[in-house]
């Protein structure tokens, strides 16, 4: 008989509503804290949202990102991001780097004097280096990027809501989207509290979180819909518990395998993708949690029309807590 790894027993009977005022109430509290942190502390915006200057360098010597960063630390610059550029069209001795310098004031670009200092410092490090191009992002463009990012998250959420509404019912759609916003806002709140750099890569991570989280939630909802047809006389709360228990092994396996991959990126990926990896790591944790403890709780709170006469035991089910 083949041995298989199980992250959860084949059959479980956990009561996921037993401590609902702690699990669901804790989610609401965390969202409020995230909103306060976002509003009071603000986000540590990167160059994409603050404006700044991008310098493209080329050299016949390999790019040493650490050495580049150490060389520029003593100059009067804003936040500096350095990445090596790879392209199959490059020659064997063509090594390209992108140096992004955040704006220190409303000018949104480094002055010619500072640019000369940067070039001199890099030339001292690598005599073969040359500045291939210099581009600046102004405040207007940065403001448009902020608005476009918000619009992307909003449109994606609305699209998901409409899809689930057509696929299931409006209660499922509302529960699913509110659970998604729970994941996104708490992730943003963590970035605000710890002042982790927030740029376009984080927006990409947030959109990835939306896709991951709703996929997990739809699996639970799909099993719930099947069980609602199968157990017509069972109280709604019990059907929800049964559905989550039946999909628990799949939920844990998906979450843990994804966390292993993203965790490797977080630890070994370096500074360039650390913020992106952290956002997805948090999103997977929160998405798994919201699929089990948030989305279905919202549906239970709203209630479902099961096509028959409401039972007395189905009324106020969300308010009942087992001792």
């Amino acid at each position: 008989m083949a041995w298989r790894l199980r992250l959860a027993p084949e059959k479980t009977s956990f009561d996921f509503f037993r401590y609902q005022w702690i699990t669901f109430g804790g989610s609401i509290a965390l969202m409020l804290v995230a909103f306060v942190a976002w509003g009071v502390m603000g986000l540590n915006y990167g160059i994409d949202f603050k404006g700044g200057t991008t310098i493209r360098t080329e050299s016949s010597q390999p790019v040493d990102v650490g050495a580049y960063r150490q060389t520029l630390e003593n100059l009067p610059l804003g936040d500096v991001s350095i990445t090596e550029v790879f392209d199959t069209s490059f020659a064997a001795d063509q090594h390209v780097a992108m140096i992004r310098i955040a704006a220190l004031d409303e000018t949104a670009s480094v002055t010619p004097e500072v640019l000369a200092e940067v070039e001199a410092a890099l030339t001292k490090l690598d005599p073969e280096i040359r500045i291939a191009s210099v581009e600046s992002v102004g405040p207007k463009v940065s403001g448009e990027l902020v608005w476009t990012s918000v619009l992307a998250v909003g449109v994606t959420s609305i699209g998901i809501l409409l899809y689930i509404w057509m696929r299931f019912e409006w209660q499922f759609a509302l529960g699913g989207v509110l659970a998604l916003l729970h994941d996104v806002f708490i992730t943003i709140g963590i970035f605000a509290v710890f002042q982790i750099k927030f740029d376009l890569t984080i927006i990409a991570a947030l959109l990835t979180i939306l896709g991951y989280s709703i996929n997990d939630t739809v699996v639970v909802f799909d099993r719930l819909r099947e069980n609602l047809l199968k157990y017509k006389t069972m109280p709604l709360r019990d059907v929800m518990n049964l559905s989550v228990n039946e999909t628990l092994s799949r939920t844990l396996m998906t979450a843990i395998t994804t966390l292993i991959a993203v965790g490797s990126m977080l630890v070994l990926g370096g500074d360039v993708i650390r913020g992106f990896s952290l956002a997805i790591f948090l999103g997977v944790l929160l998405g798994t949690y919201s699929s089990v403890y948030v989305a279905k709780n919202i549906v239970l709170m709203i209630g479902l029309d099961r096509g028959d006469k409401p039972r007395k035991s189905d009324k106020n089910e969300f308010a009942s807590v087992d001792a």
Side-chain angles (χ1 to χ4, degrees):
M1 183 176 181
W3 181 83
R4 292 188 300 171
L5 173 65
R6 291 187 181 277
L7 299 177
E10 188 171 358
K11 292 184 179 181
T12 59
S13 57
F14 298 117
D15 184 359
F16 293 99
F17 292 98
R18 184 176 181 84
Y19 303 106
Q20 59 188 0
W21 295 114
I22 297 176
T23 56
F24 188 69
S27 293
I28 296 175
L30 284 176
M31 287 190 67
L32 292 176
V33 171
F35 276 118
V36 172
W38 190 1
V40 175
M41 304 177 66
L43 291 170
N44 179 19
Y45 289 115
I47 298 172
D48 299 323
F49 297 135
K50 288 198 306 187
T53 298
T54 299
I55 303 171
R56 179 187 174 99
T57 67
E58 292 188 7
S59 175
S60 59
Q61 301 297 321
V63 175
D64 187 336
V65 174
Y68 279 29
R69 182 175 290 108
Q70 188 174 4
T71 298
L72 299 178
E73 279 181 353
N74 297 325
L75 298 180
L77 305 175
D79 293 334
V80 177
S81 173
I82 305 171
T83 57
E84 185 174 1
V85 179
F86 297 95
D87 196 305
T88 55
S89 64
F90 290 167
D93 62 345
Q94 185 180 10
H95 303 281
V96 179
M98 299 294 290
I99 302 173
R100 307 169 75 188
I101 305 172
L104 287 173
D105 51 37
E106 295 300 322
T107 61
S109 61
V110 299
T111 63
E113 293 77 15
V114 173
L115 182 60
E117 291 182 26
V118 171
E119 185 173 5
L122 292 175
T123 302
K124 186 177 179 180
L125 173 68
D126 179 7
E128 302 294 328
I129 202 169
R130 69 180 185 87
I131 305 296
S133 64
V134 178
E135 298 179 356
S136 295
V137 178
K140 182 177 180 180
V141 174
S142 300
E144 290 176 354
L145 286 175
V146 173
W147 166 245
T148 303
S149 300
V150 173
L151 186 63
V153 175
V155 169
T156 302
S157 300
I158 293 173
I160 290 173
L161 185 146
L162 293 175
Y163 167 76
I164 299 180
W165 193 338
M166 292 185 292
R167 184 85 163 77
F168 298 96
E169 297 181 34
W170 69 267
Q171 294 95 330
F172 289 90
L174 187 59
V177 169
L178 289 179
L180 293 184
L181 296 179
H182 159 275
D183 304 339
V184 169
F185 286 137
I186 293 180
T187 301
I188 293 175
I190 292 173
F191 271 73
V193 169
F194 294 100
Q195 289 296 288
I196 304 169
K197 190 175 297 182
F198 194 93
D199 52 25
L200 282 178
T201 62
I202 308 305
I203 297 299
L206 294 179
L207 294 174
T208 304
I209 290 170
L210 292 179
Y212 175 88
S213 183
I214 198 60
N215 177 70
D216 214 21
T217 302
V218 165
V219 170
V220 177
F221 281 171
D222 202 45
R223 183 59 59 89
L224 173 59
R225 183 176 57 178
E226 293 175 3
N227 286 335
L228 285 172
L229 297 175
K230 188 176 180 180
Y231 303 101
K232 295 182 179 295
T233 60
M234 183 183 291
L236 180 57
R237 172 173 164 164
D238 294 341
V239 179
M240 287 184 168
N241 259 330
L242 175 64
S243 302
V244 177
N245 276 289
E246 289 180 345
T247 57
L248 184 60
S249 180
R250 181 266 179 201
T251 299
L252 291 177
M253 181 62 75
T254 303
I256 291 177
T257 51
T258 306
L259 287 173
I260 291 173
V262 178
S264 300
M265 293 170 56
L266 180 61
V267 175
L268 305 174
D271 293 337
V272 177
I273 61 171
R274 184 157 294 147
F276 175 82
S277 303
L278 176 61
I280 294 186
F281 192 90
L282 293 171
V284 171
L285 289 175
L286 291 167
T288 302
Y289 180 87
S290 66
S291 297
V292 174
Y293 286 108
V294 177
K296 65 176 179 48
N297 292 53
I298 295 173
V299 176
L300 181 63
M301 189 185 304
I302 298 171
L304 285 174
D305 181 7
R306 300 175 63 178
D308 54 2
K309 186 177 180 180
R311 291 167 296 282
K312 184 177 180 180
S313 60
D314 282 342
K315 296 180 179 179
N316 301 320
E317 284 187 86
F318 184 81
S320 63
V321 182
D322 295 338

